Amino acid sequence: MRARRAAVSVLAALVLGATATAAARAQAPLRVASPDGRNSVTVAVKDGGLYYSVDRAGRHIILPSRLGFTFRGAPDLRDSLAIVGVARSSYDTTWTQPWGEVARVRDQHNELRVTVQERASAGRRFVLAVRAFDDGVAFRYELPADGGFGEFAIQDELTEFTLADDGKAWWIPANKPQPDRTEELFASSPVSHVDTVNTPLTIEMQNGTRVVIHEANLVDYANMNLAGRFESRTLRAALAPWADGVKVRGRAPFVTPWRTLQLADRVEDLAPSVLTLKLNPPSRIADTRFIAPMKYDGIWWGMHLNVMTWAEGPKHGATTANTRKYIDFAAANGLKGVLVEGWNLGWNGNWMADRNGFNFTTPVPDYDLAGLAAYAREKGVTLIAHNETAMGVENYERQLDSAFALYERLGIRAIKTGYVNDKTLAGDSHTGQYMVRHFRKVVEVAARHGIMVDVHEPIKDTGERRTWPNMMSREGARGQEYNAWGGEGGNPPEHESILFFTRMLSGPMDFTPGIFDLTLRSAGPARTPEDARPRTTLAKQLALYVVLYSPVQMAADLPENYAGQPAFQFIRDVAVDWDTTRVLAGRIGDFVAVARKTRGKDEWFVGAITDEEARTLPVSLSFLPAGRRYEADVYADGPGASWRDNPTAITISHRVVTSASTLELRLAPGGGQAIRLRPVR
Ligand code: NOJ
Ligand code: CA
């Protein structure tokens, strides 16, 4: 159902030198409001500069903020601008996602297109496209073929975001200490104390509005970070550079990514966040049958615990015998994928330095690639081929076609890629235009070969899964791996209750939950609370499958650590594809409770997590259909449970509930609770 309606199309003043009245009319502020009338964007020219502002329900969100560019080899585009054309339209369409945190997405918005003409000698012309949705607003620059841009090099995008009050921002620093990896701990501060940070940037404004600044449809541009200035409420777009410092190279016609502001009155209304999906083109994959959400296990945690190695040798993880064990375990437990890292040539020695040594088609001698792929297929499981590039991107691109063709022939339907290292050999940023193009290319080539993609050390998610639904999940934050070796002892107990309201608002994350051996005895003597180890209870590890959305979810621990564990039943049962998602309660950095309905099935899951504090959350089950009885399988923190001294105490119980029931979820320090709800037979 597609309905673009051109409501009004006014050309206020066609050319320079129009009559004074027409020009004055054109310079009057232009406003576009969301279908519910609550969100609005105003565009205006003041002293030759182009500005936009955002309001929600009568409150100022973004005060007039500058738009424009500086170029290398061309004059700045920021002064002597005039509005010369206006067009408006409305749009309402709904589609079904092949998979997702919700099955159906409705894109209903009003659009304003403002044509802007430069009065100075360069005489360039562009369009500012603005869309207002009920859940946020977005805008982008469109440079037409005949706008006088030709081939260009953007030195800086001047887009600013001046917050109307000094709200509290939740952020991770950009470019330090690990350039561009986004694997940092979150901090919070007033906007006026923000340095250079990643998006999505979640801000709790003093006026009560929740704002998330991010971007959508990043295709051929540089990743946008946000740069603050001390004691200023203005954040500015900070683009990741090419090796020579240029930010973006292009040729008109050209469109930038959308700059997005998700808006909500309550923090619980931020998720599910689908604004970016609405700003990406529809699927380019006609036959999506090869794409299937799944749970997987893998030869992975053993390396992070240092009881196995990626490299060949006595502790090599990716051996034929070991992989068969993981395939058997997956098949026996309903997991559909097996990740194997260290299966290919390139891991011996210093692989981060020898980044071009990786070979993506040749297995090491003790790994029977073809035999294992066939064995997995027989058992209804796919291998997930690991492609660590170490940022040897040219080396990887040279092999893309042959590698993916081989995987396709062998029935390997998924890959996990990796980009450990900060820059390309040529010195391009991890998230600059060069890498943005690369990440897109991998997804497109994979689609041609019927392969699903999971990216570690990725660029951020800007909604590309709408167009390329084989783009399943990515890392792009500190995941479970830090709990094996993080220098500061691993992720703090509050970490995931921040992730939910920040990183997760951009899209799925391959966090890899499900560690049961929480003191990491598998790696030697039990680790103390001060050592690196998961700082959660067992029930919280289960709850993460529901809280942290991903269409591919790992059962991350060693299979032997699941043996004889009744709690593993939850991992067998939990769904990975959802009809509906509801946030039942939450506070950033403190706690969150989420309910999700399994796609196409009368079944719900609830996941609740807390930070280092114990708390009891009353949760109403009013989301269930009225008048029906459901059996609840409850995995709760056991008596005396705490992440610190007693992480594995868990109580599994069963009870009958209805939509009239309220559950008191008792969460231990660092704890959580996971519940499956299915109709009483
Ligand atoms: C970092 C990834 O996040 C991790 O999952 C992987 O095992 C290592 N790189 C090695 O590629
Ligand atoms: Ca990583």
Side-chain angles (χ1 to χ4, degrees), residues 318-320 324 363-374 383:
T319 64
T320 301
R324 284 177 81 100
V364 289
D366 58 348
Y367 186 77
D368 174 13
L369 176 64
L372 287 165
L383 290 179

Side-chain angles (χ1 to χ4, degrees), residues 121 132 150 240 330 336 400 482 510 530 571 599 607:
S121 57
K336 295 292 180 197
L400 269 189
Y482 280 80
D510 187 31
E530 284 65 42
I571 299 182
R599 178 101 174 232

Side-chain angles (χ1 to χ4, degrees), residues 86-239:
V86 184
R88 292 176 183 276
S89 59
S90 300
Y91 196 67
D92 191 359
T93 189
T94 301
W95 74 91
T96 301
Q97 303 207 77
W99 50 266
E101 65 277 62
V102 288
R104 306 269 291 164
V105 179
R106 180 178 185 189
D107 170 8
Q108 190 191 13
H109 67 256
N110 295 322
E111 185 177 79
L112 169 72
R113 297 175 60 77
V114 182
T115 303
V116 181
Q117 174 81 50
E118 189 182 20
R119 291 193 190 279
S121 57
R124 291 164 291 188
R125 181 170 41 78
F126 66 96
V127 172
L128 182 74
V130 185
R131 292 186 183 173
F133 306 80
D134 292 350
D135 58 346
V137 302
F139 60 87
R140 74 174 176 192
Y141 304 87
E142 302 182 358
L143 314 183
D146 60 353
F149 291 92
E151 206 160 311
F152 58 83
I154 295 174
Q155 189 59 47
D156 271 311
E157 181 182 319
L158 300 179
T159 306
E160 292 184 340
F161 304 84
T162 299
L163 276 299
D165 65 46
D166 200 8
K168 181 178 181 183
W170 294 84
W171 49 266
I172 48 174
N175 299 324
K176 63 182 177 190
Q178 301 188 77
D180 301 341
R181 288 268 292 277
T182 63
E183 295 178 6
E184 306 299 333
L185 289 174
F186 280 83
S188 60
S189 74
V191 170
S192 61
H193 285 60
V194 161
D195 191 352
T196 301
V197 297
N198 278 281
T199 77
L201 178 68
T202 302
I203 300 167
E204 302 186 279
M205 292 187 70
Q206 289 167 359
N207 70 21
T209 309
R210 270 53 179 195
V211 184
V212 183
I213 306 178
H214 191 47
E215 63 181 302
N217 199 27
L218 174 59
V219 181
D220 189 13
Y221 204 79
N223 168 85
M224 177 182 74
N225 292 324
L226 297 170
R229 242 179 293 133
F230 189 60
E231 297 204 330
S232 149
R233 297 195 312 266
T234 299
L235 304 170
R236 206 172 101 184
L239 304 180

Side-chain angles (χ1 to χ4, degrees), residues 468-525:
W468 297 103
N470 63 322
M471 176 63 239
M472 308 301 287
S473 197
R474 67 186 86 201
E475 191 186 35
R478 281 170 67 115
Q480 185 91 270
E481 60 180 5
Y482 280 80
N483 297 332
W485 40 254
E488 60 304 270
N491 300 322
E494 66 172 5
H495 182 60
E496 299 86 358
S497 59
I498 303 176
L499 278 184
F500 183 85
F501 296 106
T502 54
R503 159 65 183 84
M504 300 308 297
L505 299 177
S506 66
M509 177 178 177
D510 187 31
F511 180 88
T512 70
I515 300 304
F516 277 32
D517 168 22
L518 289 162
T519 57
L520 308 187
R521 271 179 311 229
S522 309

Side-chain angles (χ1 to χ4, degrees), residues 22 26 109 136 225 244 264 267 288 345 360 390 474 483 603 630 655 668:
H109 67 256
N225 292 324
D244 66 358
V267 79
T288 55
L345 295 185
F360 301 98
R474 67 186 86 201
N483 297 332
E603 176 188 60
Y630 285 79
R655 56 181 283 197

Side-chain angles (χ1 to χ4, degrees), residues 300 304 310 341 347 386 388 416 420 456-457 475 481:
W300 177 77
H304 290 273
W310 282 278
E341 300 199 358
W347 288 98
H386 184 229
E388 173 59 62
K416 169 182 165 180
V420 176
H456 279 233
E457 299 81 48
E475 191 186 35
E481 60 180 5

Side-chain angles (χ1 to χ4, degrees), residues 547-594:
V547 172
L548 300 179
Y549 170 64
S550 178
V552 292
Q553 287 281 30
M554 189 174 201
D557 211 338
L558 309 176
E560 51 268 35
N561 288 332
Y562 295 131
Q565 292 272 9
F568 187 67
Q569 187 58 40
F570 185 81
I571 299 182
R572 288 194 194 101
D573 291 339
V574 70
V576 281
D577 194 16
W578 310 101
D579 267 335
T580 315
T581 290
R582 305 260 173 82
V583 182
L584 307 173
R587 205 161 62 212
I588 307 180
D590 295 338
F591 64 90
V592 60
V594 191

